[in-house]
Amino acid sequence: MGPATVATMVKKSFYDLAFGVAPGGARKDAHYILDSLDDVKAALADELAEETNLYLLCWYGADLSLHVYQQGELAQSIDLHPFVTISIKGYPDITFSGPGEPIGYDFRADDGAGDEEEGLSSKMFYGSLGDAVGVSVDWSRIEVPLLSGELVADDDEDDAFELVDGNLASYGYQDFEE
């Protein structure tokens, strides 16, 4: 049973790792509803291991946030962009000052440069960078509050948790654009 069909609203604490782009040329609205920071770190590492997702961050300005809910209420939202570094052999490191604000490489210049498939954004899109790319998140600089009270759990998959964007989500992964 998916979250859209669930009627039970539950007031538990959880992390919502949100990664997405507004509908347009690309679509993604992924959320990970989790109960531990270690699980959030692992989920983010998996997302950032996919070159297409790096393309969405760099070219489309994808949102990348960690929302902290305490007893069903949004307590804090953390923009994760300033803590992400993309390292690609032969290119300067790419960091972000915010969504759609990569620093270190001009992705818009790719758009008008000769062979489109040779640009860095195209290489990311087609996943052709392979071992030349690495991504790190500086978790030591992110102040993430601990969850309090009753936490979500993997056996809560039939419960619905209301997110800041109004979507209803259940424990684990869901992409509202799929």
Side-chain angles (χ1 to χ4, degrees):
M1 177 186 299
T5 62
V6 178
T8 308
M9 291 296 296
V10 180
K11 300 286 186 184
K12 293 185 178 180
S13 296
F14 58 91
Y15 297 114
D16 171 22
L17 174 61
F19 182 51
V21 294
R27 291 176 170 248
K28 184 174 184 95
D29 188 13
H31 293 263
Y32 291 83
I33 307 305
L34 301 166
D35 62 347
S36 80
L37 192 53
D38 286 340
D39 289 346
V40 169
K41 291 176 182 179
L44 182 57
D46 287 346
E47 286 289 325
L48 297 179
E50 295 182 33
E51 288 179 47
T52 303
N53 288 337
L54 301 181
Y55 169 79
L56 294 175
L57 277 175
C58 294
W59 181 256
Y60 275 96
D63 290 324
L64 182 60
S65 301
L66 179 61
H67 304 291
V68 181
Y69 288 81
Q70 303 287 11
Q71 301 306 293
E73 300 294 324
L74 179 63
Q76 184 174 353
S77 290
I78 303 166
D79 176 17
L80 295 176
H81 289 90
F83 308 102
V84 173
T85 300
I86 302 171
S87 299
I88 303 168
K89 186 176 180 179
Y91 295 91
D93 281 353
I94 301 163
T95 58
F96 300 84
S97 58
E101 299 172 6
I103 300 168
Y105 187 81
D106 183 2
F107 286 91
R108 297 298 170 193
D110 275 0
D111 201 23
D115 186 358
E116 178 178 303
E117 292 183 20
E118 291 302 312
L120 182 56
S121 59
S122 292
K123 290 176 183 178
M124 287 177 170
F125 179 79
Y126 290 110
S128 63
L129 293 168
D131 291 340
V133 65
V135 181
S136 62
V137 178
D138 189 354
W139 286 102
S140 68
R141 294 188 313 127
I142 308 172
E143 294 183 29
V144 181
L146 296 175
L147 297 176
S148 62
E150 188 177 3
L151 308 183
V152 298
D154 59 3
D155 61 352
D156 289 333
E157 60 189 31
D158 290 333
D159 293 333
F161 306 101
E162 187 171 6
L163 305 180
V164 68
D165 60 10
N167 283 319
L168 296 179
S170 58
Y171 183 88
Y173 171 81
Q174 45 259 268
D175 188 336
F176 295 104
E177 288 295 334
E178 289 182 337

